[in-house]
């Protein structure tokens, strides 16, 4: 086994983008703590087996990221099993659609709770651990194209992902003195199990499945049709950006939200 580059904890890593991030960081030489909700235990164990085959140490720390005590225990579990925490990737989240008028308070609260509060708790307990260790660290969160550029019929999701950008900037300002950088990544349409309900293998999105207004559908479709890079976004594309943000080379980058969307958003 090669010398470890450090310990990385990735939330929502049972599948999709989170799984790809975990695999990439393991390939980079990090030991890995895998997290998802307890019901995804079998998937987490499958990912853990793959990481072990790469010669890296791995542990599974199931938790619901919206529960304060569970997030604290998740971080403590990673530290106990692997010896510390150098990288926190707060990837867990939910994707929801719905217009401002048709949405419910319940759907709003659920989306903001998982995406915004969950990320906040991961940032908080990771920062506390990294400060105690005294060796700096990397905190990385999952924003979205919709955290930079609003699309219709995504009111709660866009709000939650814009919130992560603000949280990231505040955390970067507060934690820089400890040698901790805080950044976020903003994927566009990425082909995962979560998006397969509205996105086919060719990358075409069927907005009719959740947008009933033809004007809004036409606008969304035109945005994707005019993306500069025609490559279909894959989880590995996001993982490569996280790999860089987790590296020593990214030590002078903080408070940023990097887009992985083929050029849809250039802000």
């Amino acid at each position: 086994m090669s010398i470890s580059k450090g310990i990385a904890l990735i939330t929502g890593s049972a599948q999709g983008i989170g799984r790809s991030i975990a695999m990439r960081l393991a390939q980079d030489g990090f030991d890995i703590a895998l997290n998802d909700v307890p019901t995804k235990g079998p998937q987490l164990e499958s990912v853990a087996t793959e990481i072990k085959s790469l010669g890296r140490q791995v542990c599974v720390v199931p938790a619901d990221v919206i529960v304060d005590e569970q997030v604290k225990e998740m971080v403590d579990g990673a530290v106990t099993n692997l010896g510390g925490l150098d990288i926190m990737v707060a990837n867990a989240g939910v994707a929801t659609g719905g217009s401002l008028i048709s949405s419910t308070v319940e759907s709003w609260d659920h989306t903001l709770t998982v995406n915004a509060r969950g990320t906040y708790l991961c940032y908080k307990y990771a920062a506390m651990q990294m400060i105690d260790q005294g060796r700096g660290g990397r905190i990385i969160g999952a924003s979205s194209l919709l955290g930079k550029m609003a699309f219709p019929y995504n009111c709660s999701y866009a709000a939650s992902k814009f919130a992560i950008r603000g949280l990231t900037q505040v955390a970067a300002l507060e934690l820089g003195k400890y040698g901790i950088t805080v950044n976020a990544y903003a994927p566009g349409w990425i082909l995962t199990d979560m998006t397969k309900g509205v996105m086919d293998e060719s990358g075409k999105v069927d907005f009719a499945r959740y947008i009933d207004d033809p004007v809004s559908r036409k606008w969304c479709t035109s945005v994707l049709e005019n993306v500069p890079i025609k490559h279909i976004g894959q989880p590995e594309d996001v993982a490569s950006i996280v790999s860089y943000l987790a590296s020593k080379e990214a030590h002078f980058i903080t408070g940023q939200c990097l887009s992985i969307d083929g050029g849809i958003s250039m802000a």
Side-chain angles (χ1 to χ4, degrees):
M1 182 185 296
S2 60
I3 296 174
S4 174
K5 287 187 177 180
I7 298 104
L9 168 56
I10 303 95
T11 67
S13 53
Q15 61 191 32
I17 291 173
R19 177 190 176 281
S20 289
I21 291 170
M23 294 302 300
R24 175 59 186 266
L25 293 182
Q27 291 163 5
D28 290 345
F30 289 95
D31 294 325
I32 304 295
L34 298 167
N35 160 268
D36 217 306
V37 291
T39 56
K40 293 188 177 178
Q43 294 100 308
L44 287 173
E45 292 297 340
S46 176
V47 180
T49 299
E50 291 187 67
I51 290 173
K52 288 176 185 176
S53 72
L54 299 173
R56 299 265 43 102
Q57 293 188 66
V58 61
C59 70
V60 173
V61 282
D64 188 333
V65 295
I66 72 173
V67 181
D68 187 293
E69 188 60 30
Q70 289 189 30
V71 177
K72 181 179 185 301
E73 291 173 355
M74 173 186 74
V75 171
D76 290 345
V79 172
T80 299
N81 284 281
L82 299 176
L85 182 64
D86 301 289
I87 314 293
M88 163 61 84
V89 184
N91 171 77
V94 294
T96 55
S99 72
L100 175 66
I101 294 172
S102 67
S103 62
T104 64
V105 170
E106 290 76 17
S107 67
W108 171 273
D109 286 346
H110 175 66
T111 305
L112 270 290
T113 298
V114 176
N115 293 355
R117 184 168 81 187
T119 302
Y120 151 73
L121 290 172
C122 289
Y123 278 26
K124 174 182 177 178
Y125 286 110
M128 292 169 65
Q129 176 63 32
M130 291 173 183
I131 291 169
D132 285 346
Q133 290 172 175
R135 62 184 190 230
R138 302 278 188 270
I139 297 175
I140 305 167
S143 184
S144 169
L145 165 64
L146 274 72
K148 288 190 166 189
M149 174 182 176
F151 275 57
Y153 284 71
N154 283 280
C155 69
S156 60
Y157 184 73
S160 71
K161 294 302 184 176
F162 268 91
I164 289 169
R165 289 181 60 202
L167 170 66
T168 296
Q169 291 178 15
V170 170
L173 290 169
E174 294 181 0
L175 301 177
K177 63 185 177 183
Y178 300 106
I180 301 168
T181 66
V182 190
N183 292 289
Y185 50 95
W189 285 94
I190 305 295
L191 189 59
T192 67
D193 288 341
M194 185 181 289
T195 61
K196 282 179 181 176
V198 294
M199 184 179 185
D200 64 26
E201 296 290 338
S202 70
K204 183 178 181 180
V205 179
D206 182 7
F207 289 108
R209 294 196 181 188
Y210 73 99
I211 297 179
D212 55 22
D213 171 34
V215 175
S216 295
R217 283 203 305 270
K218 183 177 180 180
W219 184 88
C220 293
T221 300
S222 69
V223 169
L224 294 194
E225 286 177 347
N226 290 298
V227 60
I229 297 177
K230 304 304 180 183
H231 164 77
I232 308 307
Q234 302 295 324
E236 292 77 14
D237 298 322
V238 182
S240 68
I241 294 297
V242 175
S243 171
Y244 175 66
L245 291 174
S247 71
K248 290 182 178 180
E249 287 79 7
H251 68 97
F252 202 48
I253 299 173
T254 197
Q256 305 304 307
C257 183
L258 302 185
S259 297
I260 316 104
D261 62 15
I264 298 175
S265 169
M266 297 190 180

